[in-house]
Amino acid sequence: MPTLDWIPEVHHPLGGGEAVIPDALLYYRSRGTGTGGADGSGDGGSMLRAFIEVDRATMGPERHAAKLGAYARLHAYVPAPPPGTRSRLAVQEESWRRRYPLFPRLLFVLDGTGPAGIHTRLTALEAAARQPALAALLRDAPVLAAAMADLLPHGPAASIWHPVNGTDQRVGWTHTRHP
């Protein structure tokens, strides 16, 4: 049986006193097959991790979409070693790479506004996703958005998630792009 767990507001440093703090970090493990996995599952089950950002329309769409840039900086971030220490040790102790074998997918849950507001927020996320600085993040991790109004009746596994790369496709949150 799949297992699900989450931790609220996990601090991820970006250096210079900045940090990314998602609303939640979700852990999901699918049923194992007993073969072991490269994803860190150990029991053959697939382990997915996701940063969750809940948008309750408390900030403008562009400001909320700008969070994509912070996640792109986190994705690219390699901490500078303290003076007099070896670089490799500093990266192992401080980078997201120490916590996760793969960069977690990013899920935006949109709420607090009607259908027109949801559309505006999706459009802002799609526009932000076209920035060249986000290319590596979007290549390495699914970034999806869904309306709370769709999540409640259909559940998170339903094909209600919009990839922010502007496709009209709808996918389940566990969706993985094909190369």
Side-chain angles (χ1 to χ4, degrees):
M1 177 167 203
T3 58
L4 180 70
D5 193 13
W6 60 277
I7 303 169
E9 300 182 348
V10 177
H11 184 270
H12 294 84
L14 288 176
E18 289 187 81
V20 171
I21 305 172
D23 293 322
L25 173 62
L26 178 73
Y27 290 89
Y28 174 82
R29 183 184 305 271
S30 66
R31 188 175 315 208
T33 62
T35 60
D39 60 1
S41 63
D43 70 353
S46 176
M47 171 62 83
L48 297 178
R49 294 164 186 85
F51 294 127
I52 308 292
E53 285 290 339
V54 179
D55 174 12
R56 295 195 172 125
T58 57
M59 61 179 73
E62 291 80 15
R63 185 170 157 214
H64 189 263
K67 289 184 177 189
L68 279 172
Y71 282 98
R73 287 193 312 276
L74 175 63
H75 178 261
Y77 178 62
V78 176
T85 62
R86 292 187 340 201
S87 170
R88 196 169 124 203
L89 292 176
V91 170
Q92 289 177 347
E93 293 173 9
E94 300 175 30
S95 173
W96 65 263
R97 291 162 183 85
R98 175 144 162 69
R99 292 183 184 182
Y100 321 114
L102 301 171
F103 194 81
R105 56 197 62 223
L106 177 54
L107 306 176
F108 287 93
V109 177
L110 310 174
D111 196 20
T113 185
I118 296 293
H119 177 75
T120 299
R121 297 178 110 57
L122 284 170
T123 301
L125 284 168
E126 290 172 0
R130 288 192 287 271
Q131 297 175 31
L134 298 177
L137 170 65
L138 294 170
R139 180 191 65 240
D140 292 346
V143 180
L144 309 167
M148 182 67 78
D150 293 331
L151 277 168
L152 293 174
H154 302 293
S159 295
I160 58 169
W161 296 89
H162 305 259
V164 300
N165 62 358
T167 69
D168 290 331
Q169 180 183 20
R170 301 295 174 262
V171 298
W173 81 272
T174 60
H175 169 75
T176 302
R177 291 176 311 280
H178 301 287

